[in-house]
Amino acid sequence: AQSVSQHNHHVILSEAASLELGCNYSYGGTVNLFWYVQYPGQHLQLLLKYFSGDPLVKGIKGFEAEFIKSKFSFNLRKPSVQWSDTAEYFCAVNADRDDKIIFGKGTRLHILP
Amino acid sequence: DVKVTQSSRYLVKRTGEKVFLECVQDMDHENMFWYRQDPGLGLRLIYFSYDVKMKEKGDIPEGYSVSREKKERFSLILESASTNQTSMYLCASRDRSNYGYTFGSGTRLTVV
C-alpha cells in the first residue's frame, strides 16, 4: 500500500527566507506525485505535479519540486517566501494506473511579515 | 475550468440523524472521491467511485455509504451521525487522463 510522509507538521519562516518542505513516499512502482496548497478559508489547489520526464517540476507562484527516485522523495522548494504563502501544504502520491491519491498529513507554513 | 460544487458549506446535525452530503461536478469526470480532513491527520479517503453505480471503499469507510446514480453527482451518506464524524468533508473529481484532482470548497459538518 502507498503511504506519504511529510517531515514537518508546522514550519515558521520570515519573509524572504528559503523554503524546503520534505515529502517521502513508499511505493515500489511507478508513481505520480503532487503538491497541493490550502490557503486559509479556501479549497485545495494544485501547486504542481510530476508524471514523468524532467524530475525538476515548476509550479505556480514560484514553487518547484524535485523528484528523486532513489530516495522516494518529492521535496517542495521556494527560494524566497512571501507572507501570502502562509497556508497548509499537502504532498500526495498516486500509483500509476490507480484511481486514488493518497495524501500526507500536511505541513502548516506560517510566514512572519 | 472544472467546477466541483458541494451543496452546503456548513452543516450542524444531531447525533443519530441521517446526513446527506452532495457533490456535483460539471466536466464529465469518471472518478469522484470523498475525503475527510482533520487537523494533524491530513486528508483521508472515505469512498471513491470510478463510474456510475460503481464504488470502492477508501481507508476509513466505516459509518459512511455513498451513492452515484448519475455521473455528475456523488453523495456521501452518514447513516447515523456520531460526534466523531464532526469534520471537514471534501469532494473531488478527476478525469482519468489528467491524474490530478479538482476539489470542492468543502462542507464543515458538526454533529452535536
Side-chain angles (χ1 to χ4, degrees):
Chain A
Q2 311 146 52
S3 66
V4 179
S5 174
Q6 291 185 237
H7 306 165
N8 310 98
H9 297 301
H10 201 173
V11 173
I12 301 174
L13 294 172
S14 298
E15 272 195 312
S18 65
L19 169 72
E20 181 159 4
L21 301 182
C23 172
N24 286 91
Y25 67 92
S26 66
Y27 182 72
T30 302
V31 293
N32 304 305
L33 296 157
F34 309 84
W35 275 96
Y36 282 85
V37 61
Q38 189 173 35
Y39 297 103
Q42 297 188 26
H43 60 271
L44 276 163
Q45 302 172 42
L46 182 66
L47 259 185
L48 49 78
K49 58 190 177 186
Y50 171 81
F51 294 161
S52 63
D54 188 344
L56 186 61
V57 180
K58 294 197 184 299
I60 61 172
K61 305 190 180 189
F63 286 92
E64 65 178 31
E66 185 175 12
F67 171 49
I68 303 179
K69 191 174 181 180
S70 60
K71 295 185 178 180
F72 297 89
S73 71
F74 190 56
N75 292 354
L76 182 70
R77 299 194 293 246
K78 186 170 183 178
S80 177
V81 294
Q82 301 172 303
W83 178 78
S84 58
D85 293 326
T86 294
E88 191 160 16
Y89 293 80
F90 294 92
C91 181
V93 64
N94 158 241
D96 205 32
R97 299 190 198 132
D98 193 354
D99 284 323
K100 61 186 187 215
I101 293 181
I102 304 299
F103 286 81
K105 293 184 178 180
T107 297
R108 284 188 185 270
L109 175 65
H110 191 82
I111 306 300
L112 302 173
Chain B
D1 276 353
V2 177
K3 198 165 182 184
V4 178
T5 303
Q6 294 184 232
S7 53
S8 304
R9 193 66 195 265
Y10 298 96
L11 273 179
V12 181
K13 296 291 181 180
R14 294 194 182 277
T15 301
E17 275 193 75
K18 191 168 186 176
V19 181
F20 292 86
L21 303 183
E22 304 289 346
C23 175
V24 176
Q25 51 96 0
D26 65 0
M27 280 298 291
D28 203 36
H29 284 180
E30 294 91 354
N31 297 347
M32 295 186 75
F33 306 80
W34 276 105
Y35 288 85
R36 63 178 281 177
Q37 182 180 8
D38 299 288
L41 297 177
L43 279 74
R44 293 179 291 167
L45 181 63
I46 305 171
Y47 266 98
F48 67 101
S49 168
Y50 49 89
D51 206 344
V52 175
K53 297 191 187 291
M54 307 299 283
K55 61 185 179 185
E56 280 203 28
K57 293 180 180 179
D59 299 318
I60 51 163
E62 297 78 18
Y64 303 95
S65 62
V66 290
S67 172
R68 194 163 181 204
E69 296 296 318
K70 293 184 179 180
K71 194 173 187 180
E72 67 270 19
R73 186 180 296 271
F74 191 36
S75 303
L76 179 69
I77 304 156
L78 285 66
E79 297 291 342
S80 176
S82 63
T83 54
N84 64 11
Q85 292 177 310
T86 291
S87 186
M88 171 70 85
Y89 289 88
L90 296 174
C91 176
S93 75
R94 190 188 79 165
D95 179 339
R96 283 199 189 119
S97 66
N98 187 26
Y99 295 102
Y101 285 17
T102 300
F103 282 88
S105 55
T107 295
R108 186 166 291 283
L109 173 67
T110 302
V111 182
V112 297

